[in-house]
């Protein structure tokens, strides 16, 4: 099976559309690792665009924020403001879609979660140490996560995990070890590269390809401006932070 692995779309329809175009005909299904909404200007449209494709999805902390399942006091002011705006925009079908997502999904050799296998919605895997400690909390060879908006492959070694920064266009073959893999963010990359980030997975070949695609950032920013979203959230899309 060929899988388009995406995460952290954050209501950025221009970025999601660019990824879907770029990956067209190269995947059979989509795995979405959460935060389809929050920050960006087109939450309903992004849910609708995803639902046009065969896919599975887990919820992220922003998705849970709009549903009222986690307290917005845990969000920074920009995230909180955007989340309240998003909450007011979401249609009943969008809310119904988000409220039905399971926090963790296991498909064959892969566990899907937003933050970490230990704390699926809120956990952060920012360092090899925490990635290594998380290996005990899933049973499959590979766990796919998002949440940090930074693409990375953590490979479990002897008593530690090694972080392998994925190179765009380079295919990585998985060996018999264990991995935690983050495809990066479609709609708000934070690794200094503003291009939308995603991965293509071949479950038979056991290979991952990291991809970056530029999108119409100005269009997303103009939408955000017209809806009165935070200038800081608008500015960060230019630089990828
Ligand atoms: Zn996110």
């Amino acid at each position: 099976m060929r899988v388009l692995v995406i995460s952290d779309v954050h209501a950025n329809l221009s970025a999601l559309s660019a990824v879907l175009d770029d990956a067209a005909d190269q995947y059979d299904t989509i795995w979405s690792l959460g935060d389809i909404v929050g920050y960006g200007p087109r939450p309903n449209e992004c849910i609708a665009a995803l639902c046009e494709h065969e896919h599975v999805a887990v919820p992220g902390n922003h998705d849970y924020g709009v549903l009222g399942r986690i307290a917005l006091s845990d969000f920074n002011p920009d995230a909180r403001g955007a989340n309240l705006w998003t909450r007011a925009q979401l249609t009943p079908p969008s809310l119904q879609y988000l409220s039905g997502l399971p926090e963790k999904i296991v498909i064959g050799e892969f566990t899907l979660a937003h933050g970490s296998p230990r704390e699926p919605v809120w956990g952060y895997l920012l360092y090899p140490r925490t990635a290594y400690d998380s290996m005990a909390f899933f049973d499959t060879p590979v766990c796919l996560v998002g949440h940090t908006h930074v693409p990375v492959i953590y490979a479990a070694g002897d008593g530690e995990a090694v972080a392998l920064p994925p190179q765009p266009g380079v295919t990585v073959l998985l060996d018999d070890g264990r991995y935690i893999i983050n495809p990066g963010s479609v709609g708000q990359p934070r690794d200094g590269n503003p291009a939308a980030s995603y991965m293509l997975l071949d479950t038979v070949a056991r290979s991952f390809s990291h991809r970056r695609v530029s999108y119409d950032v100005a269009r997303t920013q103009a939408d955000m401006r017209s809806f009165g979203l935070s200038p800081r959230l608008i500015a960060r899309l230019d630089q990828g932070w």
Side-chain angles (χ1 to χ4, degrees):
M1 181 166 55
R2 301 171 309 161
V3 186
L4 168 58
V5 185
I6 60 173
S7 191
D8 298 277
V9 171
H10 282 296
N12 189 336
L13 185 64
S14 296
L16 177 59
S17 301
V19 166
L20 293 172
D21 286 348
D22 193 54
D25 303 325
Q26 297 173 74
Y27 64 92
D28 307 308
T29 190
I30 300 173
W31 295 352
S32 173
L33 304 176
D35 280 2
I36 185 81
V37 304
Y39 291 132
R42 298 290 176 190
N44 292 305
E45 293 88 339
C46 283
I47 291 171
L50 187 57
C51 288
E52 285 177 12
H53 301 265
E54 182 185 314
H55 77 282
V56 298
V58 293
N61 53 308
H62 285 255
D63 306 321
Y64 265 20
V66 296
L67 294 172
R69 291 187 184 173
I70 51 179
L72 293 188
S73 53
D74 293 336
F75 283 57
N76 68 52
D78 282 336
R80 185 161 53 239
N83 206 272
L84 288 169
W85 178 85
T86 303
R87 202 183 270 189
Q89 311 307 313
L90 286 182
T91 61
S94 293
L95 287 166
Q96 191 179 10
Y97 170 81
L98 292 178
S99 64
L101 301 178
E103 290 187 1
K104 234 199 258 194
I105 298 173
V106 175
I107 303 172
E109 295 191 287
F110 302 87
T111 299
L112 283 58
H114 178 63
S116 80
R118 184 179 194 172
E119 296 174 272
V121 177
W122 252 125
Y124 265 103
L125 297 182
L126 290 165
Y127 308 105
R129 181 75 246 168
T130 41
Y132 182 76
D133 291 344
S134 295
M135 299 280 178
F137 293 89
F138 62 101
D139 298 323
T140 56
V142 181
C143 181
L144 302 173
V145 298
H147 196 33
T148 64
H149 298 208
V150 176
V152 66
I153 296 177
Y154 290 114
D158 189 14
E160 62 176 1
V162 179
L164 312 168
Q167 303 297 321
V170 174
T171 298
V172 174
L173 284 175
L174 304 182
D175 63 17
D176 291 336
R178 301 188 74 220
Y179 296 87
I180 294 175
I181 299 175
N182 188 325
S185 169
V186 170
Q188 194 197 75
R190 293 180 189 163
D191 61 343
N193 179 351
S197 179
Y198 69 98
M199 288 190 191
L200 290 170
L201 159 68
D202 186 323
T203 61
V204 177
R206 301 182 88 242
S207 67
F208 273 89
S209 301
H210 178 47
R211 306 278 288 266
R212 302 302 284 251
V213 57
S214 53
Y215 70 95
D216 193 345
V217 175
R219 182 173 173 181
T220 295
Q221 291 174 317
D223 280 351
M224 292 172 77
R225 229 170 267 121
S226 73
F227 295 134
L229 290 165
S230 149
R232 191 169 173 274
L233 294 180
I234 295 169
R236 69 188 304 171
L237 297 179
D238 280 324
Q239 308 293 329
W241 55 275

